[in-house]
Every structure is written in C-alpha cells, then in structure tokens.
Amino acid sequence: MSPSITTPVSARTYSKQQKSQREVERSQSRHDEDVKEKNRLARVMEHKREFEERVVRRREAEYARLRVEREERLSQVLKARKEERDMKRKMLYYLRTEEERVTRLHEEEAQKRLEKITIFILEVWPLL
C-alpha cells in the first residue's frame, strides 16, 4: 500500500512542518550568507573605487604624456620638412641665378667677339 494511506494524518502534517521548517532554515541561512556577502562587497567597493580612480589618473597622465610626445615629434617632422623646403628653394634660386650669370657671361663674351670681328672687318676689309 501507498505510504500516504498508512501514515497517520498527524505524522504527515509533522513531516510537512519539518520540511517547511527546513526550507525556512535554509532560506534564513541563504539570507544570512547573502547579507554577509553584501557587507563584504560593500567594504570592498570603496577599495574598488579607489583602485579605479588610480587607474584612470594613471592612464590620463600616460595619455597626456603620449600626446605631448606625439605633438613634439610632429613638430620636429614639420620643422624638418620646412627646413628641407627652404633648402631646396634656396638651392633652386642659387642654381637659377648661377645659370643666368653664366648665360650672361657667355652672351657678353659672344658680344665682345662679335664686336672684335666687326672692328676687324671694318678696319681690315677696306684694305683688302
């Protein structure tokens, strides 16, 4: 036969009460553990915030340092490029003026030769 038929009503009620009592005790135990864990986490939370603030400050300082270094490198690169452009411009100006000077000298020499030939022709030609 089944146990519910042979078990007296008071024994079943007692069993249910025991089961209910154990459930209440487990629930109370879990609640107490949860409260302890909550308190522990509350104490740890302050340390967590301090740690996070330290990490953020350190990262901000590092970011600022890296930004300054990057700006300095960029400034140096731009300065080097400007100096290079200026040097090229000056070199081109020098080459152009030197070329003009040499061309002018050749033209002057050619003009002098032409004048000498003209004088020679004018002086010697009639004698021929």
Side-chain angles (χ1 to χ4, degrees):
M1 296 203 179
S2 72
S4 63
I5 296 174
T6 59
T7 309
V9 174
S10 64
R12 279 190 301 212
T13 306
Y14 178 76
S15 175
K16 286 182 182 180
Q17 286 175 348
Q18 289 286 45
K19 195 177 193 182
S20 177
Q21 183 64 31
R22 281 192 305 265
E23 188 63 35
V24 167
E25 288 172 359
R26 278 194 301 256
S27 177
Q28 183 65 37
S29 174
R30 279 194 306 260
H31 174 71
D32 291 343
E33 289 174 11
D34 288 346
V35 168
K36 285 179 186 177
E37 184 70 10
K38 177 183 174 188
N39 291 334
R40 186 185 72 79
L41 289 175
R43 287 190 309 268
V44 171
M45 187 59 98
E46 183 63 30
H47 298 292
K48 176 185 175 268
R49 285 190 196 114
E50 290 174 6
F51 176 75
E52 285 177 345
E53 289 172 3
R54 265 195 321 243
V55 168
V56 166
R57 281 194 306 269
R58 201 174 15 209
R59 287 181 181 170
E60 285 174 347
E62 184 176 351
Y63 175 76
R65 180 184 57 80
L66 290 173
R67 189 182 73 236
V68 167
E69 288 176 3
R70 186 183 68 234
E71 288 172 357
E72 287 175 0
R73 280 193 313 267
L74 181 61
S75 171
Q76 290 173 353
V77 166
L78 292 175
K79 182 179 176 184
R81 286 180 184 172
K82 184 178 185 281
E83 289 174 359
E84 186 178 330
R85 278 193 315 268
D86 290 346
M87 184 63 78
K88 283 181 181 180
R89 191 175 64 241
K90 288 177 183 179
M91 185 60 75
L92 287 172
Y93 176 76
Y94 171 77
L95 290 173
R96 191 171 44 248
T97 56
E98 188 63 21
E99 187 177 295
E100 289 172 359
R101 187 185 68 81
V102 168
T103 303
R104 218 176 17 254
L105 282 175
H106 287 304
E107 289 174 355
E108 288 173 2
E109 288 175 7
Q111 184 67 27
K112 285 180 185 178
R113 275 186 263 129
L114 185 60
E115 287 175 5
K116 285 181 184 180
I117 292 174
T118 305
I119 292 174
F120 176 76
I121 290 176
L122 291 175
E123 291 177 356
V124 175
W125 190 264
L127 298 175
L128 291 175

